């Protein structure tokens, strides 16, 4: 059995508050009493724990991170970057996969507060902003990553999603595509809305309209992307899209699989553009043209914003916007005649 | 400022131990005193935290999980399964990516103990078993996943790696391959040793020897697999391997990229077998033949073993061995004549 602060207090015949003061050199503890307590701590091999410090109102050196799904390579790569930076600074990270479902978000946030985490990085889509407002009211430092909540004053690290969508549109337009469709993530997710907006604007600048029925909203799984892409590709050849912009690489893989199932060659019969540039994009058949996000930098900066927030609670909130980049690989080609 | 147990104790004019007893219905607290304390708790909106419970010597409902790298899809899928099961049971998970480096392992384990985690799932290769022995001596419940430490009495969930290696060998032998090579993970990792052993036995049963110089040990990154595969493929065509068994899917992707760079068609000129069956295996060009591990089941069972360990500290240690399965896709074909 490890000694606790209670054992030390009992042995010294003082309160645990006095032991705490002796450890931290605070309060009115006589030098003699302090030395006596430290000697008892040594004898009992008592190590003040992070937990004890937390109860004393200090930091737990733990942060929570809410993301849709750690098994999505985009979030796994972001999480690794956050973890590495956190670890450098002496923090550890509790990963919470929400599947973008509000009830999972709420349960996890309650849990993280019970654990007195020092702060929370939010990378999940949250429809009900009151959830985040309550956290802020409770004094929980927050940072958003890859998601925005413009109605809140909160540190945010995002890729310029609108520009990303526009880059995808410009690439497809430059290849002569005019019948285009979108595989979108949930509209709950701000990044999805922004990517579609940018894509629509890019088309619009070339005089091409994007019909609402050409936007298929998916769950964020490959199977779901495939299912919705099969619907888009069920149209007769002269009506179906010749290019599909997918709001993440997983959906783009679903689109690749749908095209294969339909016998439509990619890129000759159908061009597909992804988003994220995860490890998946470089190993697909054919490799994916995709809009790259700087994942490592995003994770690092998000932790740094949270850490800044922990140190100066009243500081200015910053919104860091990173540049996306179109990586042309082999899933796009000139539109079929 | 949230009320703490100290505020409640001060207001009630009792010690925090008495407040704790009142909350938990333990010790000698009169009914009247108890009601008075609960009323004060309600008035001050004091919620007993997990942290406070931990200090009282109870559980933190947090477990640690050491893995080589959360951005490796195999571990991301395992971590998601652990997280889901843990969450069902009211636990959360701190993810620690070790890169299989002992100094990172040690730092993380110290950190997890300072945080008083209830137990630790180990999925990383650890050479120095004294590290784990010290944890057990400190009373930290452990469960191993995808790794073994036969010298220790510890709950373990693994795939039958030896059988997995043998399945790969039998598949390649049945296709007529006789010049074979291996891209291996670090020999520190028990699963890598077992897979090679099974592969060697499978070949040996067909009268084929696996030379030591045909086993290339890699870091677990795609780039490293590619680099080592380029070395293997640098031999003249009549000497170079016609089949490569890769100890995970990432290395197999490296081998695919190396073959492409060398202009060797897969599978016509070179067959490649992976291991894991992550999402990567089904999206490569061509899709990977690979030995599938039941990742979701492994994660779930590992948490359950740890939970059993938490509940009955003296229980028997179990070793759960799950069956691998060869999934033949398009990266393997009859050996070139």
């Amino acid at each position: 059995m490890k000694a606790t602060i209670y054992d030390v207090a009992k042995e010294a015949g003082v309160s645990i508050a006095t032991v705490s003061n002796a450890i931290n050199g605070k309060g009115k503890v006589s030098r003699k009493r302090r030395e006596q307590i430290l000697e008892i701590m040594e004898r009992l091999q008592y190590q003040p724990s992070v937990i004890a410090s937390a109860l004393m109102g200090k930091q737990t050196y733990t942060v929570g991170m809410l993301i849709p799904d750690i098994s999505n390579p985009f979030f796994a790569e972001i999480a690794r970057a956050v973890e590495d930076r956190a670890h450098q600074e002496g923090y550890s990270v509790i990963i919470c996969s929400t599947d973008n479902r509000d009830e999972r978000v709420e349960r996890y946030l309650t849990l993280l507060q019970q654990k007195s985490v020092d702060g929370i990085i939010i990378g999940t889509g949250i429809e009900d902003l009151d959830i985040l407002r309550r956290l802020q009211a409770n004094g929980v430092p927050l940072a958003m990553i890859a998601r925005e909540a413009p109605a809140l004053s909160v540190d945010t690290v995002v890729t310029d999603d609108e520009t990303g969508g526009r880059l995808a549109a410009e690439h497809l337009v430059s290849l002569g595509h005019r019948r285009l469709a979108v595989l979108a993530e949930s509209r709950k997710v701000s990044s999805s809305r922004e990517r579609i907006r940018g894509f629509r604007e890019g088309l619009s600048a070339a005089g091409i309209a994007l019909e609402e029925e050409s936007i298929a909203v998916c769950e964020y799984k490959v199977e779901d992307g495939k299912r919705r892409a099969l619907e888009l590709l069920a149209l007769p050849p002269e009506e179906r899209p010749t290019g599909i912009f997918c709001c993440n690489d997983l959906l783009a893989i679903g689109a690749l699989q749908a095209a294969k199932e339909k016998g439509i060659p990619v890129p000759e019969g159908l061009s597909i553009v992804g988003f994220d540039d995860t490890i998946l994009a470089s190993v697909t058949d054919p490799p994916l043209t995709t809009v790259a996000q700087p994942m490592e930098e995003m994770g690092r900066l998000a932790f740094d914003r949270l850490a800044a927030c922990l140190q100066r609670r009243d500081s200015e909130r910053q919104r860091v916007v990173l540049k996306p980049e179109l990586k042309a690989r082999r899933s796009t080609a000139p539109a079929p005649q």
Side-chain angles (χ1 to χ4, degrees), chain A residues 177-230:
Chain A
H177 293 271
R178 302 193 62 85
R179 283 201 312 279
L180 294 154
V182 176
L183 291 187
E185 288 178 90
S186 163
R187 300 258 179 146
K188 267 192 226 183
V189 181
S190 59
S191 60
S192 184
R193 294 194 301 270
E194 290 297 302
R195 287 170 200 177
I196 297 170
R197 195 153 68 87
F199 187 70
R200 192 192 290 278
E201 281 168 8
L203 294 188
S204 169
I208 301 168
L210 180 68
E211 308 298 332
E212 202 51 41
E213 63 264 28
S214 302
I215 302 175
V217 176
C218 313
E219 303 291 315
Y220 60 95
K221 302 247 181 211
V222 171
E223 301 72 45
D224 206 57
K226 180 179 174 185
R227 194 171 56 77
R228 303 306 309 270
L230 281 172

Side-chain angles (χ1 to χ4, degrees), chain A residues 23-175:
Chain A
I23 295 168
N24 297 306
K26 287 199 295 193
K28 285 182 193 156
V29 186
S30 73
R31 198 177 133 190
K32 195 179 147 196
R33 172 64 45 95
R34 181 159 187 270
E35 280 172 6
Q36 183 207 358
I37 290 170
L38 296 179
E39 191 201 279
I40 290 169
M41 282 173 55
E42 203 170 302
R43 181 152 48 78
L44 299 184
Q45 297 187 292
Y46 167 67
Q47 288 255 343
S49 75
V50 173
I51 296 280
S53 304
L55 190 56
M56 305 297 173
K58 287 191 275 160
Q59 291 184 251
T60 55
Y61 290 97
T62 306
V63 300
M65 182 170 184
L66 261 63
I67 51 178
D69 185 0
I70 189 68
S71 71
N72 171 335
F74 172 70
F75 288 104
E77 290 178 40
I78 293 245
R80 175 66 206 253
V82 168
E83 184 206 326
D84 277 358
R85 185 61 154 202
H87 190 52
Q88 276 176 5
E89 304 291 325
Y91 286 79
S92 48
V93 183
I94 294 181
I95 300 281
C96 308
S97 296
T98 66
D99 293 331
N100 281 329
R101 278 157 50 195
D102 279 0
E103 74 275 14
R104 276 182 78 105
V105 170
E106 294 221 40
R107 272 194 61 184
Y108 264 125
L109 289 175
T110 304
L111 190 76
L112 291 175
Q113 285 182 279
Q114 282 174 343
K115 300 207 175 197
S116 302
V117 294
D118 293 332
I120 302 177
I121 295 176
I122 309 267
T124 192
I126 295 183
E127 217 160 9
D128 178 5
L129 287 186
D130 282 343
I131 297 175
L132 299 183
R133 284 197 190 95
R134 280 199 298 276
L135 281 176
Q136 291 190 313
N138 283 343
V140 179
L142 298 180
M144 309 277 293
I145 184 166
R147 300 287 180 259
E148 297 216 60
L152 290 188
S153 166
V154 58
D155 280 279
T156 303
V157 177
V158 286
T159 299
D160 185 339
D161 289 301
E162 188 191 339
T163 295
R166 204 172 51 240
L167 290 174
E170 286 167 2
H171 177 70
L172 288 166
V173 166
S174 76
L175 291 167

Side-chain angles (χ1 to χ4, degrees), chain A residues 294-310:
Chain A
M295 294 173 281
E296 193 278 329
E297 195 179 359
M298 289 172 77
R300 184 164 46 78
L301 289 174
F303 181 81
D304 286 351
R305 289 316 310 150
L306 190 66
C309 207
L310 295 177

